[in-house]
Amino acid sequence: MQKEELLHLHMLFVHVKKYYELTTSEEVPTDRYDTLHISPVHIHKNKRSHKEAILILGQEIVDHIKQQQHKPPVIGFTDMVTPEIAVEN
């Protein structure tokens, strides 16, 4: 994977974390990620550092979500097809 792709993936994981926090009003603890002192805008850091950050951030997001499984989901999905829409003319 190219460094530019890692930077994009790193930014995507940061956005996933922020989106989850916004929609659930829960803070995702990222203690291990924070100790790395790296963010997607640190383009001077090497590929290995960004790869490590991506893996750690992803694991912390997943671990937090797994801990929250006993709670009902905040975002629910409904059937988007209604009988009126499915009827042929």
Side-chain angles (χ1 to χ4, degrees):
M1 187 175 282
Q2 300 295 319
K3 184 175 180 179
E4 184 177 337
E5 294 169 321
L6 285 173
L7 293 171
H8 285 288
L9 189 57
H10 192 171
M11 182 63 77
L12 178 63
F13 273 57
V14 169
H15 283 293
V16 167
K17 175 186 177 288
K18 289 181 181 181
Y19 178 78
Y20 179 84
E21 291 175 338
L22 181 67
T23 57
T24 63
S25 300
E26 298 173 3
E27 183 178 349
V28 177
T30 54
D31 300 329
R32 290 178 51 216
Y33 174 75
D34 294 339
T35 61
L36 298 175
H37 303 289
I38 186 171
S39 78
V41 297
H42 292 146
I43 60 173
H44 62 282
K45 300 272 185 165
N46 62 29
K47 285 173 54 172
R48 196 177 79 150
S49 297
H50 282 284
K51 185 175 180 179
E52 180 182 17
I54 290 166
L55 293 173
I56 290 174
L57 180 57
Q59 189 62 55
E60 288 182 320
I61 292 169
V62 169
D63 289 345
H64 177 76
I65 292 171
K66 282 183 179 178
Q67 291 174 354
Q68 304 307 314
Q69 283 184 349
H70 64 279
K71 294 182 180 181
V74 174
I75 301 172
F77 296 98
T78 59
D79 190 6
M80 298 296 289
V81 179
T82 61
E84 294 82 26
I85 295 174
V87 173
E88 290 185 34
N89 293 331

